[in-house]
Amino acid sequence: MAKLRWGMIGGGEGSQIGPAHRLGAQADGLFELTAGALDHRADVGREYAQRLGVAADRAYGDWQEMLAGEKDRADRVDLVTVATPNSTHFEITKAFLEAGFNVLCEKPMTMNVEEGEEIVRVAAATGKICAVNYCYSAYPMIRQARAMVRAGEIGKVRLVVTNFSHGHHGDAGDADNPRVRWRYDPAMAGVSGQFADCGIHALHMAGFICSDQVETLSADFASTISSRELEDDAMVNFRLSGGTVGRLWTSSVAIGRQHGFDIQIFGETGGLRWASEQPNQLIYTPVGGRTQVIEKGEGGLHEEAQRLSRVAIAHPEGFPLAVANIYCELADAIRGEVRDGLPNAADGLRSMAAVHMAVASAKDNGAWVDARPPMFRT
Ligand code: NAI
């Protein structure tokens, strides 16, 4: 099967997420980097794209040039990844969807709920794929957890507890470092700092594993470093629409925690535990029974987990291969085989609504609020 043509915006040399996309998209021979506007500096982006093998006439200086250059080509790219800073996601994603391209947008998909609803509408109107990179949901053992919940293997889920807490912005002496400071500045980051940056991965994951949606929430936000306007720590209580109780802690000042994303699912007949720092193991305890370690790649896993494992049992597969799983599902979707796990624009919108409602709740002493986007409330 011919490789799909892939274009990338942002993710230039030295960026944080760019390499994970390039490793992920190309890991299974499904996509070829064919076009790019990789950097906010036109010349730097063009030069780097060519070093990565992109032809000179498709190594663009900015996304507008890429849109103009690609849209009328018979061999236009099949997929565009948007891996630029958050405030640019909306206009780039919307423009490429409207021109008939499939898009994978980094999280958060937009800066506000109205823009999120607009992306959902545009994606529906164009019939193009708009995926959002909630890549942790594509770890094989997260798919195993979701399949186990769906199969009733831990009974009705009572409680989900999740943390995405690290300590990498915990040094007050480093708070003015420009790479750190912008994340807590509303002009650059929007209405929320840590919750919008990391908390939304955890919130998405809770709904994803339970095949349910966040309905209401109550939030407590804190800026523990006084120069910060936006929160660097948040505790969010929530309820899924099926009544499941949710607890979420996210922090960037939890010194000693490294990546710090973990989730526990407590059902009536068993519990599950997963942590991003040991992503190949899922811990399962049946009620009254012994705790078991379920390994990626072992026999007897659910098909969803087996399908997304590549290398043999006990060989680690980590973050870039979780991103690769998103690209596998995108390739399937582009070829017409729809996978229900692929995070989409509706998920991106739900996150944005939850962020904005969490901000409102935190300002109102933790009042319980409806976390659903207006367009999904009826
Ligand atoms: P970064 O600051 O490390 O890199 C941004 C890159 O985009 C740079 O190469 C920059 O030159 C380029 N760029 C900026 N504006 C541009 C424009 N208008 N056109 C073309 N290129 C442009 O940022 P980072 O950390 O890589 O984050 C990028 C996005 O990825 C953010 O939205 C972030 O939230 C998301 N992200 C997602 C993660 C995940 O787990 N899904 C993890 C890390 C980041």
Side-chain angles (χ1 to χ4, degrees), residues 33-183:
L33 184 62
T34 312
L38 301 181
D39 202 285
H40 66 285
R41 297 156 299 181
D43 291 348
V44 174
R46 280 197 196 97
E47 188 276 325
Y48 187 47
Q50 289 175 73
R51 238 188 306 137
L52 292 172
V54 174
D57 66 329
R58 298 177 89 171
Y60 299 102
D62 59 43
W63 68 265
Q64 290 94 340
E65 192 183 300
M66 178 164 151
L67 182 60
E70 290 296 311
K71 70 179 170 38
D72 297 323
R73 292 184 74 110
D75 62 347
R76 58 168 24 203
V77 287
D78 298 295
L79 173 71
V80 175
T81 291
V82 180
T84 50
N86 304 355
S87 63
T88 62
H89 293 176
F90 171 68
E91 62 172 347
I92 302 175
T93 297
K94 182 169 185 271
F96 276 85
L97 284 172
E98 284 175 339
F101 291 91
N102 300 305
V103 176
L104 169 61
C105 182
E106 262 305 342
K107 47 57 59 176
M109 183 176 78
T110 59
M111 297 291 278
N112 60 52
V113 181
E114 294 72 25
E115 291 171 355
E117 292 197 335
E118 177 70 0
I119 294 291
V120 169
R121 276 191 290 270
V122 171
T126 60
K128 292 292 143 186
I129 297 161
C130 181
V132 179
N133 195 31
Y134 288 115
C135 46
Y136 299 99
S137 66
Y139 273 106
M141 300 320 283
I142 293 298
R143 297 302 173 97
Q144 172 71 12
R146 185 171 75 142
M148 288 178 74
V149 170
R150 283 185 165 181
E153 291 174 44
I154 62 166
K156 182 173 164 32
V157 177
R158 292 174 172 145
L159 187 63
V160 182
V161 180
T162 182
N163 306 294
F164 198 154
S165 297
H166 63 79
H168 302 299
H169 303 156
D171 179 0
D174 193 43
D176 274 338
N177 175 342
R179 292 202 65 176
V180 175
R181 194 182 53 214
W182 75 265
R183 295 169 188 277

Side-chain angles (χ1 to χ4, degrees), residues 306-330:
Q306 210 60 270
R307 180 169 58 79
L308 297 178
S309 312
R310 291 168 190 75
V311 295
I313 187 166
H315 290 301
E317 281 181 63
F319 183 73
L321 292 183
V323 177
N325 289 339
I326 295 284
Y327 280 93
C328 288
E329 298 196 328
L330 275 163

Side-chain angles (χ1 to χ4, degrees), residues 213-217 237-241 243-247 368:
Q213 305 299 339
V214 176
E215 192 163 279
T216 56
L217 62 77
N237 283 305
F238 58 94
R239 295 288 184 276
L240 300 181
S241 64
T244 300
V245 175
R247 319 267 185 218
W368 280 87

